Amino acid sequence: MAVGLIAPEALSAVPGVRLGSVAAGIRYQGRHDLAMIELAPGARTAVALTNNAFAAAPVKICREHRGRTAQSRAWVINSGNANAGTGAPGVQAAQRSCQAVAETLSCDVDEVWPFSTGVIGEPLPVERIEAAVPALCDALTADAWLTTAQAIMTTDSVPKGMSRTIDLPDARYTVTGIGKGAGMIRPDMATMLAFVATDAPLSQAALDQILGQAIHASFHCITVDGDTSTNDACAMAATGQGPQIDVGTPAYRACREAIIEVCQHLAQAMVRDGEGASKFVTIRIRGARTREEARTVAFTIAHSPLVKTAWFASDPNWGRVLAAVGRSGLEGLRIEGVDLAIDDIDVLAGGEPAPGYQESLASAAMQQEAFTVTVDLGRGAGEATIWTCDLGHDYVRINAEYRT
């Protein structure tokens, strides 16, 4: 169930970018499962990869290739198979995928970045990828963002994408991004993947800085189930040529704002499409000593199965939220200073039921597809906002049946 999520009808082409997808039979039958994003020569590129110590083979190869060249010509993505936990053969398979693309595009193998998503621990049928690469390259067009978004889906119910225009006094640029993710979502980057491109002529330093800031404001602010994937990645490209936009300029700030907006949309779409999710929940923590302290409390609440199942039932069980706050590791926390609200309904004041609180009103608020839980810790000026979802029967079903 996608909570208030509608698939994009169209996504804008980005000059200097071509995309395509084909059915390679990697795992799925009758659907595209191999995609490529080709970048024009001279494009600046950046990537953030999972910090999971059990990183998948494509993550290792991508990290190596990025370390040897600052620019990439192609991103090759397969769905249905994560190529994780596959040892040396998996690394060889990822490298062979890159080699097949490099030979077809006549570029250096280090300029190809591989990405995979799907089942962990199964050998990647790389020979099917190699056989499909020529047709994949022939399928590249400028307007295939949406079909590419569909090709990289696994348990997603809808493709995820967004385009924005950057209007500057003397130029207009486009930002388009696509992503996938619905489960095993609690990114730790730098099973979610995101690819964003703009024709704004951002310098390499500007692109690197925007990538970090965009991730921190988007993908690092979401969680479905608290699990960090072995394959998390976000790649970004700036294809524009000519005088480059440097850090700190008004044009830089306009580009950063648009890219962050696109990344936040993709991040929230992943939560709205959370496996089995029926509620989109915004958690706001105020009154913390620091922003990081606020984030710690927010994620402790968001990762509590007791809290998430109460949300699923539209049960304003504030005791579960307080318990999560209490075990979040805050030193010197005074429960007498904690306030709690659901949307505009005051639930707790000073750690006790708020005067006039009616559980029926709080329950009615939680029956909406989207609501906000606000906790004020009353101990400082730090605050943070994250996005998450509830936990219901379908989450268990989807993950129990994933490999069958």
Side-chain angles (χ1 to χ4, degrees):
M1 180 187 299
V3 184
L5 180 60
I6 301 174
E9 294 183 359
L11 296 169
S12 301
V14 176
V17 179
R18 295 197 306 161
L19 314 87
S21 61
V22 295
I26 295 168
R27 177 178 177 84
Y28 306 113
Q29 299 299 318
R31 57 155 282 188
H32 286 197
D33 56 2
L34 182 65
M36 185 190 303
I37 301 176
E38 180 200 37
L39 307 170
R44 276 79 57 207
T45 53
V47 66
L49 300 163
T50 183
N51 287 320
N52 193 311
F54 199 51
V59 170
K60 297 176 182 177
I61 294 300
C62 186
R63 189 174 286 132
E64 291 178 5
H65 288 190
R66 178 64 180 86
R68 288 196 285 263
T69 178
Q71 297 181 342
S72 174
R73 285 292 317 283
W75 303 336
V76 59
I77 313 133
N78 76 268
S79 60
N81 186 308
N83 194 13
T86 48
V91 173
Q92 294 168 5
Q95 188 70 7
R96 284 173 57 182
S97 298
C98 295
Q99 187 65 49
V101 171
E103 291 174 356
T104 305
L105 295 182
S106 298
C107 68
D108 190 272
V109 68
D110 287 343
E111 295 179 309
V112 181
W113 292 353
F115 302 92
S116 299
T117 181
V119 175
I120 292 173
E122 295 184 2
L124 180 69
V126 65
E127 67 283 349
R128 299 179 190 176
I129 294 176
E130 292 171 324
V133 163
L136 179 60
C137 291
D138 288 342
L140 297 175
T141 65
D143 59 356
W145 281 97
L146 184 55
T147 54
T148 301
Q150 293 169 331
I152 66 176
M153 292 166 52
T154 51
T155 59
D156 308 61
S157 65
V158 294
K160 301 166 179 67
M162 185 185 197
S163 294
R164 278 293 175 264
T165 299
I166 305 168
D167 287 310
L168 301 179
D170 57 351
R172 169 176 284 189
Y173 301 114
T174 299
V175 178
T176 294
I178 58 173
K180 64 82 51 185
M184 196 179 277
I185 295 293
R186 195 328 195 177
D188 183 17
M189 294 177 299
T191 308
M192 68 140 281
L193 298 176
F195 305 97
V196 181
T198 180
D199 60 330
L202 293 166
S203 67
Q204 187 65 53
L207 184 66
D208 289 340
Q209 190 170 110
I210 288 176
L211 174 64
Q213 293 178 0
I215 286 174
H216 196 61
S218 58
F219 303 117
H220 280 179
C221 295
I222 62 171
T223 181
V224 169
D225 47 23
D227 274 320
T228 297
S229 169
T230 55
N231 295 63
D232 285 342
C234 177
M236 197 170 290
T239 62
Q241 302 303 306
Q244 295 190 355
I245 297 173
D246 291 322
V247 175
T249 63
Y252 165 85
R253 289 190 288 272
C255 293
R256 179 183 62 189
E257 181 180 341
I259 290 172
I260 287 176
E261 183 181 0
V262 168
C263 289
Q264 285 184 337
H265 174 86
L266 296 176
Q268 293 183 24
M270 292 174 189
V271 171
R272 290 183 180 276
D273 199 22
E275 292 170 346
S278 65
K279 311 285 176 62
F280 176 80
V281 184
T282 299
I283 301 179
R284 291 178 179 162
I285 305 299
R286 298 172 177 165
R289 289 178 178 169
T290 65
R291 182 175 185 274
E292 286 309 308
E293 180 179 273
R295 283 173 58 84
T296 296
V297 174
F299 279 113
T300 303
I301 295 170
H303 292 155
S304 166
L306 291 176
V307 171
K308 293 171 82 71
T309 51
W311 290 340
F312 178 73
S314 301
D315 177 11
N317 191 334
W318 52 264
R320 294 182 178 183
V321 178
L322 277 189
V325 173
R327 64 180 171 81
S328 61
L330 303 188
E331 293 185 4
L333 176 65
R334 295 178 60 256
I335 195 67
E336 296 83 2
V338 176
D339 298 338
L340 169 66
I342 299 174
D343 282 347
D344 59 353
I345 300 169
D346 293 329
V347 178
L348 296 179
E352 299 180 359
Y357 167 65
Q358 297 182 41
E359 186 170 290
S360 60
L361 296 179
S363 178
M366 296 175 68
Q367 290 172 29
Q368 304 174 101
E369 283 192 345
F371 58 86
T372 299
V373 175
T374 302
V375 178
D376 193 322
L377 300 174
R379 55 196 257 131
E383 56 184 56
T385 299
I386 70 166
W387 303 287
T388 188
C389 58
D390 58 348
L391 180 63
H393 310 295
D394 282 346
Y395 180 87
V396 177
R397 178 187 58 77
I398 290 168
N399 284 282
E401 298 175 354
Y402 183 49
R403 297 205 309 160
T404 58

